[in-house]
Structure formats: C-alpha cells, structure tokens
C-alpha cells in the first residue's frame, strides 16, 4: 500500500511535466549576438525529435535549424528552454505561471545531446525564398533579445512546437494551408493516449488532472501542439503566396539521427488497470469477510481516503488556482479534494471512541452520486479510475451498513 501511495502521489505531482513541454535546460550559445549570419545563403529547417524515455520527453520536441552556407554557421533556435533554478519553479509550473524562453545553440551540440539519449531527429527543409528566410531569421533574432526571450508557456495552446510553427507563418509571404492529415474526430485526450500507449501510469495521471476541455473534437491547429503532428501536417502543407502561387511547404527531408531507443514494452502487471483491479477485489473480499464475521475493519478505508485526499489536494489546487488549460474543467474535483483527509481522521475517531459513523451515509451518497456523474458528464475517464471509484463505493457501502446496524466499538458491532 505504501508503494501505491508513492506511485499515485509522485505520478500526479509530476505528471504536468510530462505534457508536451519538450523541456530542456537553458543551453545558450555563448554571446548569442554572434549568431548573425550573412543574409545571402540561408536555409531554414524544422527539426522534430522523437519521444524519449524520460517523463518530460514523452511527446518529443520541435526546434528550428538555421544554416548560413556563406559564413558556415549552423544554429538551432529552441523555444523549449527554461531556468529550472528560478525561484519557486515547481510552484509556478503547477500554477501555470512558468515563463519559457527562446534560446540558441550550435547544431552539433543538439545532435550530440540527442545522440547520447538515443533519440531520433528528423529534418524538414522549409521551402522559403531568401527574402522569407531573411525575414524569419530577423524574427528569431529579435525574439532572442533578452527583453523578448521569455513567454508565458501553455502546454496546449502556446508551447515550443506552436511557437516554431507561428514564427514561420509570420515570415511567409502569403499563408500556409495545412491538409489536416490527422483524424479530425480525435480529441486532445485521444491524441495524448495514442502517445502514451506504453506509459499507462502517465496516461492515468494525465487523465486524473485534465478535464472535459480536452474531450471535444480538437481544432486542426490545436492538434499541432504535438511535435509529430506538426511534422506530418508540414509534410502535406502548401504555401499560398500573395500572388496566388502555390508551392510545397517542405522542400526536402533528411534523417539527422536514427532513434536507437527502440519501442517501450507494454506491460500488464503493475499497470493501473491491474493494480486497481486487485484493489477492487481486495475491497470486495474484505467487505464479505466483515459481513461474515459481523466486524468492521477500518484500516483499508483510512488508507484509501488518505490517498484520495492527498490526490485531491493536487486536483483541487490545479482546479481552483492553476492557469493550465483543462485543469479547471475536471469533474473529478467532486470526489478528489481535501475533504477525504478529514473523513479518514473521522473514521479513526469513531473507531477508537466506539461512535456511530453517521457521515458514512454522506460518503455513500457522494460516492454513488459521482458514479452517476461519471456516466453522464462530458468528461472521459480512464478505465482504471472507474475501478477506483467502484472500490470507494464498495467500502462506502460497508461503512454505511455497519453504521446502520449498530455502534462500532473495538471493531465489533453492538446490535441496536
């Protein structure tokens, strides 16, 4: 049970860091003002890095590569940097008040770093005229100025991938038409699940903190918050020039690094579905044992409500205080909030004092009512979460049963 508490608490606490932040520590080029090439032979590329093993790298990364063949400079502009040593970094991140920044590094540094990690890197050369390439480089250099580097990060609507897409669009003489190669009926949650097929605990944590905002059909542009979706959309896109000319968005493709990590292995034992199935069976077994012996046992309920309350602290914190998208539309806050912590203490008090737990009726009504809410509300819930709620319902029924039939005193029922 201690392992379960650690799994759930740590997972939920850090799961936001696994959303598509593509985070990297600040790795600035020494004296970024020197990254100013002669503007006569520039090539701009989109770099897409494959997902990594670490939690923060589960969704990959996007950056822009700028090569000037005249002065032989090869620089990567990266909107996914942050200062981890900033004051109250974790608190600010949970509040959705994290400022990310644009930074630049030599291409060889990026290639070395991702090569060491075993991640793949693909390249798409953007079909820009020299005038457009010059304009894009000027925008990047302007954004690189210390007073312009930072921006308020938003994992869904304004992340490092979308910043790279938007700055290219600003430089193009015309507009970019995306074909919409991703299934238009997919929701953001569907897209996250697809990325996390081999990471069920991460998927469970994300489902626990994100609400129904990500359960409606995703807008085509919003879908490009994922680096790989932006890569696929770019492959099929066209630039419609101001004079009406229509040219392919991507002029060439290359593989910078092969992904050597290999796919993650799917597992059943230890997955949320397996763990919470066992927990439900344990709850049912304990309840049957209690009914047979006519004796209530509080230890499992105290543990369950303590875990529920600890998880509820984060869910409620994000719901009421955070600026992150989708956390304030989370229906789970009805059941996962700090109140179960007080209820766990009340259970212990009633157990020791031999008092009837009249709050058990409230707990049963709240748990059963929320099960109905889960079935009718617009939010999609992880299958494992259904098992969690069913477990709480089974134990709530047991608590209410023994409250109705008498006073609990030293684990025994005194008949009325």
């Amino acid at each position: 049970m201690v392992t379960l508490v650690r799994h759930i608490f740590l997972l939920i606490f850090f799961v936001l860091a696994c959303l598509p932040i593509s985070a990297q520590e600040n790795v600035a080029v020494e004296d970024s003002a020197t990254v100013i090439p002669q503007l006569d032979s520039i090539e701009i590329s989109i770099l897409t890095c494959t997902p990594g093993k670490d939690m923060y790298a589960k969704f990959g990364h996007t950056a822009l590569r700028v090569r000037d063949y005249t002065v032989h400079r090869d620089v990567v502009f990266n909107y996914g940097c942050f200062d981890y040593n900033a004051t109250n970094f974790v608190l600010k991140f949970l509040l959705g008040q994290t400022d990310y920044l644009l930074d630049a590094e030599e291409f060889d540094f990026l290639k070395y770093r991702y090569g060491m990690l075993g991640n793949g890197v693909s390249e798409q050369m953007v079909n820009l005229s020299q005038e457009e390439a010059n304009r894009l480089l000027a925008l990047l250099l302007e954004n690189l100025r210390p007073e312009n580097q930072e921006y308020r990060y938003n994992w869904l609507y304004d992340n490092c991938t979308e910043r790279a897409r938007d700055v290219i669009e600003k430089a193009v003489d015309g507009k970019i038409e995306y074909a919409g190669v991703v299934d238009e009926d997919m929701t953001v949650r569907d897209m996250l699940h697809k990325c996390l097929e081999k990471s069920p605990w991460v998927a469970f944590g994300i489902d626990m903190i994100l609400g129904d905002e990500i359960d409606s059909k995703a807008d085509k542009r919003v879908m490009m918050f994922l680096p790989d979706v932006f890569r696929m959309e770019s492959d099929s896109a066209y630039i419609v020039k101001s004079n009406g000319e229509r040219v392919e968005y991507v002029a060439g493709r290359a593989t910078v690094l092969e992904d050597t990590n290999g796919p993650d292995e799917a597992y059943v034992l230890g997955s949320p579905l397996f763990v919470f199935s066992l927990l439900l069976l344990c709850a049912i077994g304990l309840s049957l044992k209690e009914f047979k012996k006519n004796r209530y046992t509080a230890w499992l309920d105290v543990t369950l409500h303590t875990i529920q309350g600890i998880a509820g602290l984060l869910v409620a914190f994000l719901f009421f205080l955070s600026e992150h998208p989708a956390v304030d539309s989370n229906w789970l806050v009805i059941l996962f909030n700090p109140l179960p912590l007080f209820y766990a203490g009340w259970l212990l008090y009633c157990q020791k004092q031999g008092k009837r737990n009249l709050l058990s009726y409230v707990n049963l009504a709240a748990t059963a009512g929320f099960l109905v809410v889960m079935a009718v509300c617009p939010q999609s819930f992880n299958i494992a979460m259904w098992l969690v709620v069913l477990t709480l319902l089974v134990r709530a029924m047991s608590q209410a049963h023994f409250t109705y039939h008498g006073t609990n005193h030293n684990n025994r029922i005194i008949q009325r």
Side-chain angles (χ1 to χ4, degrees), residues 9 43 74 87 121 181 299 312 329 363 402:
F9 181 72
E43 183 176 69
D74 196 349
T87 305
V121 179
V181 296
W299 67 267
S329 59
N363 180 50
F402 285 107

Side-chain angles (χ1 to χ4, degrees), residues 120-133:
V121 179
S122 63
E123 182 176 20
Q124 296 164 299
M125 294 73 168
V126 185
N127 194 4
L128 300 177
S129 66
Q130 278 300 294
E131 182 182 353
E132 291 170 328

